[in-house]
Amino acid sequence: MLWDSHMHSFFSGDSDSPMENMILEAINKKLPGICFTEHLDYDYPDSPDMFLLDLNKYKNEFYLLKEKYISKIQINFGIEIGLQPHISDKNNNVIKNYPFDFVIGSSHVVHGFDPYYSTFFTGKSEDEAYREYFESILENLDAFTNFDVYGHIDYVVRYGPNKNRFYNYQKFSDIIDEDLRKIISLGKGIEINTGGFKYGLGHPNPTEDIIKRYKELGGEIITLGSDAHKPEHIAYDFNKLSSILVNAGFKYYTVFHNRKPHFIKL
Ligand SMILES: [Zn+2]
Ligand SMILES: [Zn+2]
């Protein structure tokens, strides 16, 4: 069984699942380990408090439960921070002040809009909107590098008017390659996020082609995440992951402890 390194509990603004229920389900599914990655998105449009995180409460509850279940499962302390160039100092400050095992940097807000809402797509073609999303990853990488993996790098296709019907890696390979090269040159990784399967895309985020391209370009660090916000979604479709990764050329996947990558044989 595989580690699930991306999940949320009620400390995240969009989950009401108690942390303990998430842990019990992970034990029930016989996972060797999990990492909580609660949301923190500064300057979230329209409702700036929506994805703020009570870090002290989160930390205290986390360590209580980690101790309680220490003989049953490894549990790591992580965060999924929303990246936008102008909030880099605030993000750095949080990361400096808490003992995270793992930091996912994600694009949730692009130029003031979350693609989750249709307003992001207003006045542009779907391809233009997707391209804008991939370009904004480079803008984030120029401003901020204090993360371990970049989250769900084609998250935007979950929400386009046609989702992934007309989307493929080839169409955006110039800009996606730039993103991947930059991530690799910074010594950072990416994740394979099975939320895409849950959203009915038939693919993880990012797609298999992008995972393969990342490996071809020299990428070695890849974490696995369900992006579960409820217990039943922990390790969602993880039975598909080994073959996707092996087909892409990976022999190992990655788990972060104390911000250091550890490689586990597939
Ligand atoms: Zn996310
Ligand atoms: Zn997430």
Side-chain angles (χ1 to χ4, degrees):
M1 284 306 296
L2 304 165
W3 272 71
D4 186 341
S5 295
H6 187 155
M7 68 183 63
H8 302 269
S9 76
F10 60 16
F11 289 104
S12 292
D14 57 356
S15 167
D16 48 24
S17 305
M19 222 174 195
E20 191 159 18
N21 293 4
M22 301 296 282
I23 295 168
L24 290 170
E25 182 58 18
I27 294 169
N28 185 36
K29 287 185 169 146
K30 302 192 166 36
L31 303 191
I34 56 173
C35 185
F36 283 96
T37 51
E38 307 293 354
H39 283 299
L40 173 62
D41 284 83
Y42 285 122
D43 201 16
Y44 190 78
D46 300 328
S47 40
D49 297 341
M50 170 91 179
F51 290 109
L52 296 185
L53 175 59
D54 189 333
L55 282 144
N56 291 324
K57 260 197 183 152
Y58 170 36
K59 190 177 103 176
N60 292 340
E61 170 104 351
F62 173 87
Y63 281 106
L64 269 176
L65 292 170
K66 183 181 169 84
E67 274 308 303
K68 183 169 174 184
Y69 292 102
I70 202 145
S71 67
K72 299 233 164 40
I73 188 166
Q74 288 192 65
I75 314 176
N76 283 358
F77 186 56
I79 188 166
E80 180 181 15
I81 42 164
L83 305 184
Q84 299 183 66
H86 70 281
I87 54 172
S88 296
D89 288 347
K90 287 177 94 167
N91 282 337
N92 266 318
N93 226 24
V94 167
I95 291 163
K96 199 172 64 196
N97 286 306
Y98 290 86
F100 293 115
D101 287 297
F102 182 45
V103 176
I104 301 177
S106 293
S107 296
H108 294 134
V109 178
V110 174
H111 304 145
F113 295 93
D114 186 338
Y116 180 84
Y117 297 101
S118 62
T119 43
F120 176 69
F121 298 92
T122 305
K124 46 190 113 146
S125 71
E126 187 172 77
D127 282 2
E128 283 167 353
Y130 288 2
R131 185 162 285 275
E132 181 181 351
Y133 185 89
F134 293 125
E135 282 168 352
S136 77
I137 291 176
L138 284 178
E139 294 160 18
N140 288 331
L141 292 170
D142 282 337
F144 184 82
T145 57
N146 196 359
F147 63 89
D148 301 312
V149 305
Y150 213 100
H152 47 55
I153 50 181
D154 61 5
Y155 162 91
V156 67
V157 310
R158 290 182 186 173
Y159 307 112
N162 302 290
K163 295 196 168 189
N164 63 343
R165 194 140 61 102
F166 306 112
Y167 160 73
N168 57 56
Y169 158 69
Q170 293 304 337
K171 223 173 177 175
F172 302 96
S173 62
D174 54 335
I175 180 68
I176 291 175
D177 280 7
E178 271 194 76
D179 291 339
L180 295 176
R181 283 201 172 94
K182 181 85 184 180
I183 290 167
I184 294 164
S185 75
L186 292 167
K188 309 296 179 185
I190 62 169
E191 66 160 355
I192 179 167
N193 183 307
T194 57
F197 290 118
K198 201 169 62 206
Y199 272 85
L201 302 178
H203 300 277
N205 297 112
T207 60
E208 295 84 342
D209 286 349
I210 296 173
I211 305 278
K212 201 177 223 167
R213 186 63 178 146
Y214 170 68
K215 182 73 172 76
E216 273 173 12
L217 292 172
E220 292 291 343
I221 296 169
I222 188 155
T223 62
L224 320 179
S226 64
D227 216 344
H229 289 65
K230 299 174 184 173
E232 61 262 39
H233 292 145
I234 289 175
Y236 190 89
D237 272 357
F238 266 34
N239 58 328
K240 296 180 171 147
L241 291 183
S242 292
S243 66
I244 292 172
L245 291 173
V246 169
N247 284 338
F250 286 95
K251 296 190 171 72
Y252 299 87
Y253 74 100
T254 312
V255 170
F256 277 82
H257 303 283
N258 291 316
R259 307 287 315 273
K260 298 264 177 334
H262 292 249
F263 295 90
I264 302 177
K265 216 169 178 20
L266 282 163

